[in-house]
Every structure is written in structure tokens, then in C-alpha cells.
């Protein structure tokens, strides 16, 4: 296997190694969803309200920190190299996850979740490396493949975490994830190659100068907002998926297992479809493929609010994964095509910050909407957000109509 990787073109080898890396990073960030509150409950004697508060703090802390540090790591990547940032992120996250298995109180866990977010940036730097070192004619395909790892990791994470926690223990789940991230670290050091010309000391661009270098600044900001809303919609169901499954199944069957299957559906679909849509976008136009994704997402989310069985919900969530496969890699591709190479890392880091905002906003939105409109209301609101997102995207990218 390693011999085959070494014999590949550099960009292909980097792509496959980083796919595994972003997949495990996605799992690491999302696997705690099924059992984080239960783990928090083992760390003290809390009331129901306290448990809800501390669990929410622990879950969101990594994303909150990542919102602010991602641009800083992106700036450093443009001056020091993306491979170095990948090594930093993999090592930092491996240490943070390992230490989570040893915590004795909830504040230690919250602090380590913040540390996990602080050492993030693996995904944005993987995107930047693939975008900057892949031949232009393969960029849509490469980013499509990479996004399958990112999305599948995020969406399969809850299922993997639930299985690990049920087979071993909460603490052992953290240790296993730490070990896999150490494997990612070794693979990056050994197999990932980078052709990089560092920016001279003191020559790193300030945020204002980065914006001035963008040929389509309004388009770039619009793509950030598009990413944020897509992530918000994707994660809005997270707080209630098990409860909705239980309601549909009238309390029968293994709710935890069925909820894990539902959580896995979008990831499975994205893994299957994203590379194919990436190639299609290279031929018919990246902007057009994103619009198709918006149309599909709208016509999936609205009917989901009317499902009457777990099977119907699984099918609709699978279709959500298909819409993700059209939009997420294409957004990355548009960022690549409209960004000068010398600021690619910065732009992808900013995009990561907007993804993190969406990852925080989604569960909050889902919780609030469910409290006022029941679980089904989440899908209606998500469909409306998709429609708004499509309108914003069309307006902000209208200057790119002829760009493939």
C-alpha cells in the first residue's frame, strides 16, 4: 500500500493521505455528540439544567475557539508552509483527545475541548494544499474527493462515537481517536510532499491587504456566507435526531442504533457522489453545479418535515448528502479559482471560521426551532434558509456566470 502511494503523482498521493486525515479530523470533532453529555454526567453530580449547560459548553467550545484562531493559522501557513500546519494540527489534536480520557471534572473537559479547537486547522490547510498543488484541470475532482472525507467524517462521527462508546467506554473512545490522529501525523510527515516558497519575514499580508488582493472580494465573502449557511442547515438536526427517530418509531426498536444510521446517511451519500459531481462541475461549470445543489436541497428539506417513518427519514437524509456533494466541493473549487495562490491558506482558513460559526449556529437553531415548532419545524426552517442562501449566492456570484 505504502509502495503504491510513493509511486503516485505527488498531488494524488497528497490527496489520498489528506483524505484520510480530514476524515479522521471530522470524526474527532463530531464523534462526541452521542455520548458527550453522558460523559459530562460522570464527572460530577449535576441537575438537569446544569448538565444541559455544561454539555452545551463542552460541545461548542472547540468550534467557538476555532472561529477566532483559524485566520491566525492560515496566515502562518502562508509564511511557513501548509505541511507544517498539518503536522501542528494533527499533533495538537492527538494530545488534546488523549488528555480528554483522563479528565476528572467538567472544567478540565471544557478546557481540553477549547485546546482541541485551538489546534484545529487541519481541514483548511488540507484544502489549501490540494487547491494550490493540484493541476487546474483536476481541481474540481480533487476537491470533490477531499470534501467526501471532510463531510463523511463530520456526519459519520456520531455513529462511530456511539459504537465506540458502547463497545469500549467513553474514555477509551478518546484514546482510540488520539491514536488514529497520531497515525495521521506519521502519514503526513512521511508521505505528504509540498512545493512551497515561504513568504519573507515581515512580508505576510495583513487582513486588509488580503482583501485587496482578491479579484472578486464580494464573491469570496458570499462564498463564506454560503458555506456558513450550508453548515448551519446540516447541523441543525444534531440536537434532536435521536428524539425524532424515537417519535417516528413510537419508542420501539433500538433508538440509539437507528439514530446512528440516520446520522450516517448524508455522509454515505456524499462519499459516493462528491467526486462525480466534482468532475461534472469541471465540465459544465462550478457555479451551475452549486445551483443544482440548492434546488435539490430545497426539495428535500421541505418534504422531510412530513415523513412518517424512519425509512422515509433515512431516504431524505441520504438525498441531503447528495445535495452536499454538489455544493461543498464546488464552493471550495470556486474559492480556489477566484483566489491568488499566495493567499490560498488565508482564504481557506477564513472559510473554516465560517464553517465553525455554522457548526455552532446549527444546533442552537435546531434547539430553538424545536422548542417552538416541534422537530418537524427544523426541516421547514432549513428549507427556507436554503432558498435564502440560493438567492444570496446567485446575487453575489453573478459576475462569475462564464467561469467554469
Amino acid at each position: 500500500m505504502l509502495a503504491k502511494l510513493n509511486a503516485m503523482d505527488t498531488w494524488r498521493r497528497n490527496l489520498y493521505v489528506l483524505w484520510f486525515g480530514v476524515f479522521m479530523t471530522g470524526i474527532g470533532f463530531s464523534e462526541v455528540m452521542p455520548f458527550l453529555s453522558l460523559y459530562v454526567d460522570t464527572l460530577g453530580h449535576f441537575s438537569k439544567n446544569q448538565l444541559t449547560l455544561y454539555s452545551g459548553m463542552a460541545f461548542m467550545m472547540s468550534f467557538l475557539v476555532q472561529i477566532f484562531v483559524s485566520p491566525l493559522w492560515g496566515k502562518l501557513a502562508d509564511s511557513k508552509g501548509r505541511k507544517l500546519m498539518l503536522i501542528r494540527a494533527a499533533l495538537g489534536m492527538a494530545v488534546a483527545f488523549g488528555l480528554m480520557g483522563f479528565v476528572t471534572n467538567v472544567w478540565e473537559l471544557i478546557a481540553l475541548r477549547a485546546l482541541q479547537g485551538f489546534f484545529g486547522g487541519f481541514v483548511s490547510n488540507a484544502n489549501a494544499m490540494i487547491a494550490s498543488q493540484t493541476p487546474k484541470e483536476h481541481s474540481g475532482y480533487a476537491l470533490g474527493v477531499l470534501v467526501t472525507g471532510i463531510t463523511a467524517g463530520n456526519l459519520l462521527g456520531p455513529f462511530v462515537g456511539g459504537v465506540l462508546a458502547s463497545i469500549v467506554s467513553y474514555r477509551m473512545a478518546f484514546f482510540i481517536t488520539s491514536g488514529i490522529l497520531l497515525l495521521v501525523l506519521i502519514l503526513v510527515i512521511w508521505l505528504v510532499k509540498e512545493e512551497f516558497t515561504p513568504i519573507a519575514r515581515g512580508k505576510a499580508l495583513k487582513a486588509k491587504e488580503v482583501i485587496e488582493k482578491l479579484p472578486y472580494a464580494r464573491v469570496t465573502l458570499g462564498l463564506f456566507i454560503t458555506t456558513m449557511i450550508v453548515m448551519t442547515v446540516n447541523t441543525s438536526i444534531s440536537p434532536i435526531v435521536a428524539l425524532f427517530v424515537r417519535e417516528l418509531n413510537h419508542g420501539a426498536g433500538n433508538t440509539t442504533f437507528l439514530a446512528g444510521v440516520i446520522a450516517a446517511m448524508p455522509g454515505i451519500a456524499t462519499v459516493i457522489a462528491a467526486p462525480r459531481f466534482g468532475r461534472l462541475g469541471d465540465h459544465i461549470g462550478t457555479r451551475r453545479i452549486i445551483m443544482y445543489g440548492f434546488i435539490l436541497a430545497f426539495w428535500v428539506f421541505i418534504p422531510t418535515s412530513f415523513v412518517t417513518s424512519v425509512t422515509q427519514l433515512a431516504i431524505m437524509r441520504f438525498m441531503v448528502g447528495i445535495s452536499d456533494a454538489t455544493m461543498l466541493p464546488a464552493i471550495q473549487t470556486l474559492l480556489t479559482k477566484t483566489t491568488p495562490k499566495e493567499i490560498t491558506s488565508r482564504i481557506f482558513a477564513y472559510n473554516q471560521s465560517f464553517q465553525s460559526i455554522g457548526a455552532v449556529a446549527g444546533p442552537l437553531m435546531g434547539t430553538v426551532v424545536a422548542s417552538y415548532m416541534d422537530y418537524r419545524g427544523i426541516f421547514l426552517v432549513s428549507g427556507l434558509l436554503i432558498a435564502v442562501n440560493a438567492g444570496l449566492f446567485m446575487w453575489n456570484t453573478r459576475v462569475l456566470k462564464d467561469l467554469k
Side-chain angles (χ1 to χ4, degrees), residues 92-346:
M93 289 190 298
V95 171
F97 271 100
L99 292 176
M100 285 180 206
F102 292 107
V103 297
T104 58
N105 62 68
V106 69
W107 296 110
E108 291 175 356
L109 178 62
I110 291 172
L112 287 171
R113 288 284 291 171
L115 187 68
Q116 176 191 342
F118 179 80
F119 281 111
F122 190 97
V123 171
S124 60
N125 280 289
N127 271 318
M129 175 173 280
I130 295 302
S132 62
Q133 299 203 338
T134 300
K136 185 177 179 180
E137 63 271 20
H138 298 297
S139 62
Y141 163 75
L143 289 168
V145 170
L146 194 65
V147 86
T148 64
I150 300 165
T151 307
N154 283 326
L155 296 174
L156 291 174
F159 179 70
V160 173
V163 171
L164 276 179
S166 62
I167 292 176
V168 284
S169 67
Y170 304 140
R171 294 182 184 274
M172 186 58 66
F174 287 116
F175 296 147
I176 291 172
T177 304
S178 175
I180 294 175
L181 287 169
L182 285 175
L183 174 61
V184 171
L185 171 67
I186 293 169
L187 291 175
V188 169
I189 293 172
W190 191 5
L191 294 173
V192 171
K193 306 298 180 186
E194 180 180 26
E195 297 173 6
F196 178 75
T197 304
I199 297 174
R201 187 179 181 87
K203 296 292 185 180
L205 298 176
K206 298 179 180 178
K208 183 179 179 181
E209 295 171 321
V210 170
I211 295 173
E212 290 173 350
K213 270 190 166 291
L214 292 170
Y216 304 102
R218 181 172 183 168
V219 170
T220 302
L221 178 59
L223 291 173
F224 291 163
I225 293 171
T226 298
T227 298
M228 180 185 69
I229 297 177
V230 170
M231 186 60 66
T232 299
V233 168
N234 278 347
T235 58
S236 63
I237 191 179
S238 298
I240 61 92
V241 60
L243 300 176
F244 190 40
V245 167
R246 185 174 64 184
E247 179 181 285
L248 289 172
N249 221 30
H250 307 292
N254 188 333
T255 298
T256 303
F257 173 76
L258 291 174
V261 171
I262 297 299
M265 284 294 104
I268 293 170
T270 300
V271 168
I272 295 170
R276 293 168 174 80
F277 283 120
R279 287 194 184 98
L280 183 61
D282 286 339
H283 287 91
I284 70 171
T286 307
R287 184 175 183 269
R288 183 180 298 177
I289 205 75
I290 294 175
M291 286 308 306
Y292 291 158
F294 282 130
I295 294 169
L296 176 60
F298 179 81
W299 289 111
V300 167
F301 273 105
I302 298 301
T304 303
S305 63
F306 301 102
V307 298
T308 58
S309 71
V310 174
T311 301
Q312 291 175 0
L313 180 61
I315 293 170
M316 302 311 283
R317 295 302 292 171
F318 186 88
M319 296 304 296
V320 167
I322 298 294
S323 69
D324 284 343
T326 64
M327 291 188 287
L328 294 175
I331 292 169
Q332 308 281 5
T333 302
L334 269 188
L335 284 173
T336 302
K337 292 178 177 179
T338 57
T339 301
K341 282 193 174 183
E342 62 269 24
I343 58 172
T344 299
S345 290
R346 297 282 286 279

